[in-house]
């Protein structure tokens, strides 16, 4: 694997002090300059030495996690902005989900950005993830969203998890290349997590989980039905909530039939 650009980036940043924030973000930008442009022909391993480009290697991309984490956690919003912008470019430029392990390793840090108090930093993280999720699938990161949605003490972090799970439902459906990327069991786990979130103490979290749960019904109605009616399911102890969901679904179906 041609890991030279990544090695150079990591070495450069390791030599810079925390106050040299612009040099650190520029080092990330220089790494991105080694990505192929849209006009470049797709690269394949070199016929002579069989080197794989760094941006096609999941293990090499994963080496970036610790350094990028440090940049994301910088208290200066400008650093976080530059890092989120660069990370978006990187994660939306890779193909074949090569960055799946990198983004999984970064998820706890990204969710931590939602838990801090600077709203503009939260907005950088949110926009980055909503741009990245349609391009890079990282199924191994879903348990992190589900666990944080259920247990994180911060309301904004829980709301973000629900928002990202809804984006996953919208964008990770069957494709010609991956017809079964999300299995029925995975859809069920996501649905159960969103259903539990319908009783969250925060109204914002409940509203986001409701949007996600409605999205699940649009995509896989039979899974939605199973979760709503399961005797020992997440909604089994709240009869009023269950009736509200069923009545709303009936109204939606009636409205669609008249449209």
């Amino acid at each position: 694997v041609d890991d030279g650009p990544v090695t150079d980036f990591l070495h450069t940043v390791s030599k810079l002090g925390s106050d040299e924030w612009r040099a650190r973000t520029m080092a990330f930008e220089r790494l991105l300059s080694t990505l192929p442009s849209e006009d470049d022909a797709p690269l394949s391993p070199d016929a002579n030495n069989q080197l794989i480009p760094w941006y096609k290697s999941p293990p090499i991309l994963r080496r970036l996690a610790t350094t990028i984490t440090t940049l994301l956690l910088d208290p200066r919003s400008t650093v976080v902005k530059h890092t989120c912008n660069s990370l978006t470019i990187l994660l939306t430029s890779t193909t074949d989900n090569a960055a799946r392990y990198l983004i999984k390793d970064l998820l706890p840090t990204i969710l931590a950005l939602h838990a801090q108090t600077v709203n503009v930093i939260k907005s950088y993280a949110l926009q980055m993830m909503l741009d990245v999720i349609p391009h890079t699938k990282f199924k191994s990161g879903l348990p992190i969203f589900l666990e944080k949605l259920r247990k994180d003490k911060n309301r904004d972090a829980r709301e973000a998890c629900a928002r990202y799970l809804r984006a996953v439902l919208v964008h990770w459906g069957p494709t010609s290349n991956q017809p079964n990327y999300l299995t029925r069991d995975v859809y069920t786990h996501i649905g159960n997590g969103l259903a539990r979130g319908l009783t969250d103490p925060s109204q914002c979290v409940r509203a986001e989980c409701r949007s996600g749960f409605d999205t699940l019904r649009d995509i896989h109605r039979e899974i939605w039905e199973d979760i709503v009616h399961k005797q020992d399911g997440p909604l089994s102890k709240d009869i009023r909530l269950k009736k509200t969901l069923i009545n709303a679904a009936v109204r939606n179906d009636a409205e669609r039939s008249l449209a």
Side-chain angles (χ1 to χ4, degrees), residues 7-197:
T7 300
D8 291 344
F9 164 69
L10 297 177
H11 177 74
T12 298
V13 174
S14 69
K15 298 297 183 181
L16 296 171
S18 60
D19 57 326
E20 298 178 275
W21 64 268
R22 188 54 187 143
R24 299 165 83 202
T25 57
M26 288 181 67
F28 197 175
E29 293 167 8
R30 284 195 300 273
L31 173 65
L32 297 181
S33 70
T34 66
L35 290 169
S37 68
E38 293 182 358
D39 296 331
D40 292 336
L43 292 179
S44 59
D46 187 277
N48 295 321
N49 56 27
Q50 296 296 311
L51 286 182
I52 299 172
W54 65 271
Y55 49 84
K56 290 182 176 288
S57 170
I60 297 302
L61 284 165
R62 198 172 195 177
R63 286 173 52 192
L64 298 169
T66 300
T67 299
I68 293 177
T69 292
T70 301
L71 293 172
L72 288 173
L73 294 177
D74 193 289
R76 287 159 289 215
S77 62
T78 301
V79 178
V80 180
K81 177 182 179 180
H82 282 288
T83 304
C84 286
N85 288 342
S86 294
L87 190 54
T88 299
I89 294 171
L90 173 60
L91 296 176
T92 57
S93 298
T94 57
T95 57
D96 300 321
N97 296 327
R100 59 191 180 276
Y101 300 128
L102 170 60
I103 192 168
K104 179 209 170 189
D105 291 346
L106 292 175
L107 284 184
T109 300
I110 293 169
L111 293 175
L113 296 181
H114 288 283
Q116 50 79 61
T117 57
V118 183
N119 286 330
V120 69
I121 289 180
K122 296 177 184 179
S123 70
Y124 297 150
L126 178 64
Q127 189 59 58
M128 175 182 67
M129 288 298 293
L130 294 181
D131 288 341
V132 166
I133 286 174
H135 289 83
T136 302
K137 297 178 181 179
F138 45 95
K139 186 163 53 178
S140 61
L142 295 181
I144 297 175
F145 287 147
L146 291 168
E147 181 181 12
K148 293 288 186 179
L149 174 59
R150 188 174 187 178
K151 298 181 179 179
D152 200 290
K153 295 181 180 180
N154 184 270
R155 175 194 66 194
D156 292 334
R158 298 197 306 276
E159 182 182 1
C161 288
R163 180 66 185 88
Y164 297 149
L165 287 170
R166 176 157 64 96
V168 164
L169 291 174
V170 170
H171 294 290
W172 291 8
T175 64
S176 58
N177 293 331
Q178 294 179 310
N180 299 305
Y181 183 74
L182 295 183
T183 64
R184 182 184 178 89
D185 285 344
V186 172
Y187 278 115
T188 299
H189 284 308
I190 293 174
N192 283 332
L194 292 170
R196 281 191 292 267

Side-chain angles (χ1 to χ4, degrees), residues 227-246:
I227 293 172
V228 170
H229 295 289
K230 189 175 182 180
Q231 291 186 354
D232 58 346
L235 302 174
S236 59
K237 296 181 180 180
D238 195 329
I239 303 302
R240 178 179 296 180
L241 175 58
K242 182 187 294 188
K243 288 183 177 179
T244 298
L245 292 171
I246 294 172

